[in-house]
Amino acid sequence: MMRYMNLEDAVKSGAWLLFDYTDVMNLRKTMVAALLLLVCGASIARADDDGTDTSAIFEGEVSFETNCGHNYYGDNRTVFDFPHIELSGLLRLGKGWSLSADFEYERFYEDGAWCGSFKDMFSTNMLYVNKAFDEKLNVKGGILDIPVGITNSGGPALTIYDPESESGVLPMSWHETGLAVWGAVGNWRYEASMISCLDFPINRSCALGVAFRNDFTDVVDGLRIGAGGYWGKSSCGMVRRCRAGEFIGTDGVFFGVVDFDFRKNGWIADGSAVYCTDCGVKSVGMEVGYDFAVLTGFHEKGVILLPFVRYDGVFEVESRNKMTLGANISPLRNLVLKVEYGHRRFCGMKTEKTFDVGIGYTIEI
């Protein structure tokens, strides 16, 4: 989710949508990149095709979500997002070639005003071509998802918004332009990427650094353990916009993350620990919940009744801790209702109590 993006440049008005020259250029760059990747991937796949596979297969989903609750930052203590739409898809081009894409649009009401800048509301989270040589080796290039942290890796975070232990340190929905190799060998999955900050004109682009991730599944039945990291510049790309220490006095930074999740017999537990070399920022987060629908026959029909408890701690100049009690309820398949109460303490300063609700629905294509 895009909650922790910088909205300082947003237009303070109630307008539904305000396009300026930068907005048009951002949208145009995304459309041009999508077209080039699609044409390139289709052309290469056609060149490799021996005529035995002439059909391309597409699968995807559209997710709709709206949330309302407490705003930690700013003068107005209410935050509301509508609409929040995410469109993702996978197009198989044949012979191991595929095109993956994920686009997100989220409009926020914060500090007493609606965000009116399209560039702050729209995000291309993924847009890349992948070549699968076999299960052990894949190569992908384009706008890549950077799987550093359990949330950026598609982990099972149960809270309405991104867990504060990760969103307070790492970029969320982290994506950059780059080239990556990935694959799986038995219970081990790996990914390593070289990433850059692509901009127009091209002379404004620059290399960022490297990112990596390793996961071990079924360490014991239902348990996955992973680790990831990033080493590179902090002055550009999505790293520049995250909040860890504000990168005082350095243009090089390392993020290191270890995380886990456990899912078995209705139980779900996950957690992560993050370290950033700049200012020595550290954070930990953990949650556990149980799906009571497993005790009934309705679970197989997509019904979910999952209460949970979560702890988040971010330790920097202004350390803070948060406890969250919540529940995820799905009365119908693909329909999710979320509600949660939070108790957030700024060490030595103040305490805030919060209440958030959300509803979402997913359509599979």
Side-chain angles (χ1 to χ4, degrees):
M1 305 177 75
M2 297 165 61
R3 173 169 185 169
Y4 294 97
M5 295 182 67
N6 182 4
L7 301 181
E8 292 181 357
D9 298 328
V11 177
K12 303 300 184 180
S13 70
W16 171 255
L17 194 61
L18 178 64
F19 286 92
D20 58 18
Y21 179 74
T22 303
D23 297 336
V24 174
M25 288 301 294
N26 287 338
L27 183 58
R28 183 178 298 172
K29 287 189 290 185
T30 299
M31 294 175 65
V32 170
L35 180 60
L36 289 175
L37 285 174
L38 181 59
V39 171
C40 180
S43 299
I44 296 174
R46 189 179 300 112
D48 285 347
D49 199 348
D50 60 5
T52 59
D53 184 7
T54 59
S55 61
I57 300 175
F58 175 81
E59 62 182 41
E61 62 181 33
V62 183
S63 298
F64 304 90
E65 185 179 68
T66 184
N67 307 297
C68 181
H70 182 88
N71 180 22
Y72 288 125
Y73 310 104
D75 298 326
N76 191 294
R77 290 306 182 188
T78 299
V79 61
F80 179 64
D81 61 319
F82 180 83
H84 182 189
I85 305 170
E86 186 170 0
L87 172 64
S88 60
L90 171 65
L91 178 64
R92 296 184 180 90
L93 302 170
K95 290 299 180 181
W97 290 93
S98 63
L99 175 68
S100 295
D102 186 282
F103 306 102
E104 186 174 15
Y105 179 88
E106 186 173 16
R107 183 170 179 252
F108 271 107
Y109 178 85
E110 287 186 299
D111 295 331
W114 285 98
C115 175
S117 176
F118 182 77
K119 61 184 172 62
D120 285 329
M121 295 185 287
F122 177 79
S123 175
T124 303
N125 296 332
M126 290 190 302
L127 184 61
Y128 62 80
V129 170
N130 185 81
K131 168 61 177 177
F133 295 96
D134 54 37
E135 186 180 37
K136 300 176 182 179
L137 178 62
N138 291 255
V139 179
K140 60 184 180 180
I143 301 175
L144 309 177
D145 55 315
I146 307 301
V148 178
I150 191 171
T151 309
N152 286 326
S153 304
L158 300 174
T159 52
I160 292 177
Y161 293 109
D162 296 322
E164 189 163 334
S165 59
E166 293 198 349
S167 64
V169 182
L170 297 166
M172 290 288 95
S173 298
W174 195 352
H175 54 272
E176 307 286 0
T177 305
L179 185 68
V181 294
W182 64 278
V185 181
N187 294 337
W188 173 51
R189 186 189 184 281
Y190 72 91
E191 181 168 340
S193 56
M194 299 180 61
I195 57 179
S196 63
C197 179
L198 181 63
D199 204 351
F200 293 94
I202 297 299
N203 60 5
R204 294 173 55 183
S205 302
C206 64
L208 280 177
V210 296
F212 67 91
R213 181 168 184 86
N214 292 278
D215 285 296
F216 296 89
T217 59
D218 292 328
V219 178
V220 297
D221 189 19
L223 175 63
R224 178 205 59 83
I225 297 177
Y230 164 82
W231 172 255
K233 293 182 178 179
S234 61
S235 59
C236 50
M238 290 192 70
V239 179
R240 179 176 57 87
R241 290 183 284 172
C242 73
R243 302 172 56 244
E246 298 181 0
F247 306 111
I248 299 173
T250 180
D251 189 37
V253 66
F254 172 77
F255 290 100
V257 184
V258 292
D259 53 57
F260 79 94
D261 67 73
F262 175 79
R263 310 189 203 192
K264 186 177 180 181
N265 299 329
W267 287 98
I268 179 170
D270 63 82
S272 65
V274 184
Y275 174 73
C276 175
T277 55
D278 189 69
C279 296
V281 179
K282 298 176 285 292
S283 70
V284 293
M286 182 177 294
E287 63 189 0
V288 60
Y290 180 74
D291 185 2
F292 285 92
V294 173
L295 303 176
T296 72
F298 294 107
H299 180 72
E300 301 300 326
K301 299 180 181 180
V303 175
I304 297 173
L305 179 57
L306 200 163
F308 68 91
V309 59
R310 180 177 182 89
Y311 167 77
D312 289 283
V314 181
F315 310 105
E316 50 181 332
V317 177
E318 295 181 357
S319 298
R320 55 196 182 276
N321 297 277
K322 182 183 178 183
M323 292 295 301
T324 304
L325 296 175
N328 293 350
I329 303 169
S330 180
L332 300 171
R333 190 179 299 275
N334 296 340
L335 174 66
V336 178
L337 308 174
K338 294 187 175 185
V339 59
E340 61 187 48
Y341 167 81
H343 186 278
R344 186 174 189 258
R345 180 174 180 269
F346 293 85
C347 295
M349 296 177 62
K350 61 180 178 178
T351 299
E352 295 181 332
K353 299 177 182 179
T354 66
F355 183 75
D356 297 88
V357 294
I359 181 172
Y361 187 74
T362 300
I363 300 174
E364 297 177 354
I365 303 173

